[in-house]
Amino acid sequence: MIRRVLSKIRAVLNHFPMAETNEMPPKPSDQLQSSSKRPCDSPEATAVGKKRKKQTFVEGRADRKRKVAMLLVYSGSGYIGMQINPGFRTIESELIAALHKTGVIPEEHAQTIQKMKFQRAARTDKGVSAAGQIVSLNMLVNVENFVEKINNYLPEDIRVIGVKRATSGFDSKRACSGRTYKYMLPTFALCPIEQITSEVYRVKPETIDLVNELLSQYKGTHNFHNFTSGKKPEEQSARRYIMDINCSQSFEQHGLELVTIKIQGQSFMIHQIRKMIGLMIAIVRGLAVKESIDRAWKPEKYDVPRAPGLGLMLESVHYEYYNKKYGNDGMHQTLEWHEYSDVINKFKEDHIYPTIINTEKEKKSMMEWLATLPLHHFDVLDTRCHPIRQTPLGQALVMVDSEKKAQTSVGASGTEIPTRQCDTSVDDDDVDDKPSNDDQGTSETGRMNINNSLEPKSM
């Protein structure tokens, strides 16, 4: 009786796969009985039926990619901007190539950066530097000393300073609560128009007070549609909030006197800061009135000059809300980089500041731009005429040009052929608002060809 019961129990157990134990291996007869199992119960069939985990490209090991926040510094001279632009040298193109060579992103992500959820906190313009740019992306972090290896593939004027783990949904642009920029301005740009403008000029304390008085008008929320391009006054996105803006006392480096304008805001549009500084300079020099800033808030199209981009630098990016929510959750770090202050300051002293000063001395970008300021009339634009023709200097040049045409347009009968005083074929948009390819950000309205109806040259 007992033997029959044990036989039935053994028969039932043989229908199930044996788990890994320390028991003796089954008898041959038991192995034959176990062949009645379902095909999907075998290890081979199970491996086929289930989706295999994708192997990564790093040393053949399986490892998840992590969302990180990367601190980046660079000198913008020699690059056409931060964002990738096929056929041109940009900060991102250099960075992506270095990430791929290091092995922290695959080739397909290097070709299509959206696949790794790549985002930059600020899209700096041509020639603009950064001492605190933040980018977010998904990358492998199991490569030893990957920060050092990435820098080995980067040029000397671009450096990755640090990398911190972020939440899976972190976006360096959308999560940003504010951005701080600095503009290094040669003080001769503040020289009154009636004086000779040269590098030997030294700014007076009362001039610095006037600069801060004008800059304070930018604080708060205003409609900056006249300080960018492609924005209509009724667009909500043209309204921007400036938290703080001020000008430092003057200091001297390499024989050039400078001041630093520091500006903090939630976000900025293309050319916005450069136009804010450009209008301030025009007022201080005596080419525009103090009321020009208030007039620029109005819906009418207003003539606002754009200062060179050479002295502009992204100082830092702020994540107050993110740090408050995730900074102390035990898994993520606050996105503050105080521990790298010495490294960042050394990079600024070695690369950013010397580049700004030496380039200004060699190319005279600010000096050349100042020569174009009298071509602006700092008032509501008459869209029927080109902006150049609305300034006193422009009108004088038009008269000279008209006289030259009158001398050459007299027919054989001695009858003068009438010439137009205002060319209405020019686009209604302010030429200065359109992006230009000039290295120093010089206003296109300042580039004239007197022999060609005073049309601006394509630079």
Side-chain angles (χ1 to χ4, degrees), residues 129-196:
S129 302
Q133 175 72 276
I134 303 295
V135 298
S136 57
L137 70 152
N138 288 327
M139 58 172 276
L140 290 169
V141 294
N142 64 334
V143 179
E144 294 183 0
N145 301 322
F146 61 84
V147 172
E148 180 181 351
K149 292 179 179 179
I150 293 171
N151 286 328
N152 289 337
Y153 291 109
L154 286 171
E156 290 294 328
D157 52 3
I158 304 176
R159 278 291 173 266
V160 173
I161 301 300
V163 176
K164 292 185 179 182
R165 173 80 183 278
T167 60
S168 59
F170 174 71
D171 184 298
S172 61
K173 180 180 178 181
R174 296 182 181 276
C176 177
S177 58
R179 299 163 177 84
T180 298
Y181 282 84
K182 285 185 177 180
Y183 192 96
M184 292 184 65
L185 178 68
T187 57
F188 63 76
L190 305 174
C191 177
I193 192 66
E194 61 270 12
Q195 297 183 22
I196 298 177

Side-chain angles (χ1 to χ4, degrees), residues 53-65 103-104 106 139-140 142-143:
K53 186 176 181 180
K54 186 177 180 181
Q55 298 292 315
T56 61
F57 52 91
V58 178
E59 301 177 354
R61 295 181 299 174
D63 192 4
R64 287 182 56 193
K65 291 185 284 293
V104 295
M139 58 172 276
L140 290 169
N142 64 334
V143 179

Side-chain angles (χ1 to χ4, degrees), residues 4-147:
R4 273 193 237 121
V5 172
L6 292 175
S7 177
K8 290 182 180 180
I9 293 174
R10 187 179 293 108
V12 172
L13 293 175
N14 287 337
H15 283 283
F16 297 90
M18 295 185 61
E20 292 184 359
T21 64
N22 295 326
E23 296 178 359
M24 296 295 292
K27 297 180 180 179
S29 59
D30 293 334
Q31 291 180 353
L32 292 176
Q33 294 180 16
S34 66
S35 62
S36 61
K37 294 185 298 180
R38 293 178 300 171
C40 62
D41 289 333
S42 64
E44 295 81 2
T46 302
V48 174
K50 292 183 178 181
K51 184 177 181 181
R52 295 181 180 180
K53 186 176 181 180
K54 186 177 180 181
Q55 298 292 315
T56 61
F57 52 91
V58 178
E59 301 177 354
R61 295 181 299 174
D63 192 4
R64 287 182 56 193
K65 291 185 284 293
R66 306 289 183 180
K67 175 62 72 70
V68 299
M70 180 179 292
L71 174 62
L72 195 67
V73 296
Y74 52 84
S75 174
S77 179
Y79 300 91
I80 68 162
M82 173 68 182
Q83 193 171 7
I84 288 180
N85 194 342
F88 296 92
R89 192 177 184 223
T90 67
I91 305 298
E92 282 184 8
S93 61
E94 296 286 346
L95 176 62
I96 299 302
L99 293 174
H100 177 229
K101 292 176 182 177
T102 305
V104 295
I105 63 170
E107 183 176 359
E108 59 178 335
H109 288 188
Q111 298 296 329
T112 308
I113 62 175
Q114 291 83 1
K115 291 185 178 181
M116 60 177 170
K117 304 296 178 61
F118 185 92
Q119 183 60 274
R120 85 285 301 172
R123 186 181 62 180
T124 53
D125 297 339
K126 181 179 181 179
V128 178
S129 302
Q133 175 72 276
I134 303 295
V135 298
S136 57
L137 70 152
N138 288 327
M139 58 172 276
L140 290 169
V141 294
N142 64 334
V143 179
E144 294 183 0
N145 301 322
F146 61 84
V147 172

Side-chain angles (χ1 to χ4, degrees), residues 403-423:
E403 290 179 359
K404 289 183 178 181
K405 287 184 177 182
Q407 294 175 2
T408 59
S409 61
V410 177
S413 60
T415 303
E416 182 178 331
I417 303 174
T419 57
R420 294 184 298 174
Q421 297 296 320
C422 177
D423 186 359

Side-chain angles (χ1 to χ4, degrees), residues 23 55 76 86 88 97 131 160 224 240 243 310 334 347 377 384 405 456:
E23 296 178 359
Q55 298 292 315
F88 296 92
V160 173
F224 284 92
R240 300 294 164 121
M243 303 172 184
L310 177 64
T334 57
F347 183 87
H377 72 302
R384 297 171 299 175
K405 287 184 177 182

